[in-house]
Amino acid sequence: KGQTRLAIEEAARIAIGSIQPLEKFDSRTMDGIILPGGAGVISTLCDYIDKDIEAAVDPILSKILKEMYSLRKPIGA
């Protein structure tokens, strides 16, 4: 209890590898994107926990998903 954890640090711990911020995601060079589920993702990639039905997706993620869709690349969620 009382811990503050950063999503990018947690992702690196789980993935055991180099994790990059969403700002560095290049839709043109990726084959697809997969978004995991769970409370951690909800609290990191949108504001649903605070805003419920008025929630919005992180603007960077929204841009990425629109780019991937327009490029007709797979999106898994």
Side-chain angles (χ1 to χ4, degrees), residues 9-62:
E9 290 175 2
E10 199 64 14
R13 183 186 66 77
I14 293 167
I16 310 172
S18 176
I19 303 298
Q20 300 295 319
L22 284 176
E23 292 87 357
K24 292 191 175 190
F25 188 93
D26 184 355
S27 299
R28 296 164 299 170
T29 63
M30 297 295 165
D31 294 326
I33 186 169
I34 297 175
L35 302 172
V41 173
I42 290 172
S43 66
T44 303
L45 298 179
C46 74
D47 57 6
Y48 178 77
I49 291 175
D50 296 327
K51 296 191 177 176
D52 194 30
I53 198 165
E54 302 291 323
V57 173
D58 178 276
I60 297 166
L61 177 60
S62 180

